[in-house]
Amino acid sequence: MNDTPVFDYEDIQLVPNKGILSSRSQADTTVKLGTRTFKIPVVPANMQTVIDESLAQYLASHGYFYIMHRFEPEKRLPFIQKMHDQHLFASISIGIKPEEYEFVQQLHTQGIMPEYTTIDVAHGHSDAVIEMIQYVKEQLPETFVIAGNVATPEAVRDLENAGADATKVGVGPGKVCITKLKTGFGTGGWQLAALRLCGKAASKPIIADGGIRYNGDIAKSIRFGATLCMIGSLFAGHDETPGEITDQDGQQYKAYFGSASQFQKNAYTHVEGKKLLVPYRGSIDHTLKEMREDLQSAISYAGGRQLSDLKRVDYVVVKNSILNGDTY
């Protein structure tokens, strides 16, 4: 690993190919995960400041993938039932504590099957996560299991071998993550290189989680092996995302904090996240539309017609690149 070329999103530029589309709007940005097809290869982070029940319902009913967070465990069962009552798919998160085993057993006993279950752990390459994957697949065989988070090819293989249907790659590269500062570990600063390594080892879908700051980073993630991208900071701050709008120095903001922050835990213990104010962005519709259009443009530059064509383009490494006057 220590001899692997290290780069991140800001260090990479994709190289254009001859275009074959008469209009960028012809490019197909849809992606399949499990048995369902979604409009774009993007999912909002399963964080309490990014998604809630109403946004989950909106996304599911409009053709987008979502993962509900796990921080109000008592609401998960009613949430699944509510989504199914509306003929929408249910996508939930669980942890690995003993009570989570009880919850999975409850779902099994009552015959309630969420379509997607994400085992959401900061350090997902562990015996405890492997055991939970096996238990979920045993009790809820029809659910699509996403497990993570991981950082290495070995971790991807171990979780896939345990039964995970997809793995989530990224340890601490998010905008509100301070894992590398607190522990010295993680993929902060080399998330795209980690994704490349994991993508080569994977035989099932990978979700790139964290480090995406611009829409072009979604295309780069697809190029280096991702099926979907989980995004936090770019989705926080909308009308539909949780939190109140606050005014500061004449500007409007919403709070955004990490799942491992003291604000999420309500205690300063094993803290690996911080709190930020993100600019208020209005309706999430505009962001989703822009992401799709930017991906269509990326596919056009790739000389392709669909997302998978991004995987075949060449790239160059431009170290210490500067975007908009800001050096990463």
Side-chain angles (χ1 to χ4, degrees):
M1 287 286 292
N2 56 1
D3 293 327
T4 301
V6 175
F7 52 80
D8 213 343
Y9 290 102
E10 70 272 15
D11 303 316
I12 294 296
Q13 289 185 32
L14 305 179
V15 179
N17 288 328
K18 181 182 178 182
I20 59 173
L21 302 177
S22 58
S23 170
R24 299 178 189 202
S25 63
Q26 296 172 338
D28 181 5
T29 64
T30 60
V31 63
K32 188 174 182 181
L33 188 70
T35 60
R36 286 170 172 74
T37 299
F38 303 100
K39 288 182 178 179
I40 55 175
V42 169
V43 55
N46 52 338
M47 302 164 70
Q48 206 165 3
T49 51
V50 176
I51 191 165
D52 58 12
E53 287 192 13
S54 61
L55 180 54
Q57 292 168 6
Y58 177 84
L59 293 170
S61 62
H62 286 79
Y64 299 100
F65 186 51
Y66 77 91
I67 302 174
M68 188 61 186
H69 65 74
R70 59 179 170 84
F71 300 109
E72 295 173 306
E74 72 283 357
K75 295 183 178 181
R76 287 182 301 197
L77 183 56
F79 172 75
I80 297 170
Q81 294 169 324
K82 187 183 300 183
M83 296 299 283
H84 286 171
D85 287 345
Q86 298 177 70
H87 305 291
L88 300 173
F89 71 93
S91 177
I92 63 169
S93 300
I94 63 173
I96 54 175
K97 293 181 178 179
E99 55 265 32
E100 299 289 56
Y101 281 86
E102 296 172 8
F103 173 63
V104 172
Q105 179 62 47
Q106 181 185 15
L107 293 177
H108 170 78
T109 300
Q110 297 187 22
I112 297 173
M113 187 76 64
E115 283 76 6
Y116 298 87
T117 300
T118 296
I119 301 170
D120 180 36
V121 180
H123 181 23
H125 191 198
S126 70
D127 291 337
V129 170
I130 288 171
E131 290 167 7
M132 179 58 88
I133 293 170
Q134 294 168 338
Y135 187 75
V136 172
K137 295 302 288 187
E138 174 189 313
Q139 299 297 316
L140 306 172
E142 300 302 315
T143 196
F144 185 98
V145 174
I146 301 167
N149 280 25
V150 300
T152 65
E154 179 187 9
V156 170
R157 286 190 289 264
D158 283 351
L159 299 196
E160 286 188 350
N161 290 338
D165 299 299
T167 53
K168 200 142 66 77
V169 173
V171 176
K175 199 166 188 176
V176 289
C177 294
I178 55 174
T179 302
K180 69 177 182 180
L181 302 179
K182 297 280 281 184
T183 71
F185 286 83
T187 60
W190 63 288
Q191 167 69 1
L192 193 58
L195 180 62
R196 176 176 177 264
L197 289 170
C198 291
K200 289 179 178 296
S203 61
K204 300 175 182 178
I206 280 180
I207 298 177
D209 182 9
I212 290 175
R213 304 288 184 262
Y214 300 92
N215 289 349
D217 296 340
I218 302 169
K220 294 175 186 179
S221 298
I222 302 298
R223 166 61 180 85
F224 285 101
T227 297
L228 281 91
C229 300
M230 177 170 274
I231 301 174
S233 62
L234 292 183
F235 275 119
H238 291 93
D239 288 329
E240 297 83 357
T241 52
E244 298 295 323
I245 298 173
T246 61
D247 290 304
Q248 185 170 303
D249 299 326
Q251 301 293 321
Q252 292 184 310
Y253 298 90
K254 275 192 172 185
Y256 171 54
F257 51 76
S259 298
S261 70
Q262 68 189 90
F263 308 99
Q264 183 68 69
K265 295 168 176 275
N266 292 317
Y268 197 89
T269 176
H270 295 112
V271 168
E272 294 178 30
K274 62 183 179 179
K275 182 178 182 179
L276 294 176
L277 289 177
V278 296
Y280 166 66
R281 296 186 172 105
S283 172
I284 202 169
D285 275 340
H286 301 307
T287 294
L288 292 168
K289 179 176 182 289
E290 185 176 21
M291 283 181 173
R292 181 172 180 270
E293 290 176 349
D294 288 351
L295 270 171
Q296 287 180 317
S297 293
I299 292 169
S300 174
Y301 277 115
R305 299 182 183 276
Q306 56 196 9
L307 277 178
S308 59
D309 294 322
L310 288 169
K311 296 181 181 293
R312 294 188 287 271
V313 300
D314 203 355
Y315 66 93
V316 293
V317 179
V318 187
K319 296 297 290 184
N320 301 315
S321 64
I322 298 176
L323 256 65
N324 298 327
D326 296 326
T327 304
Y328 282 73

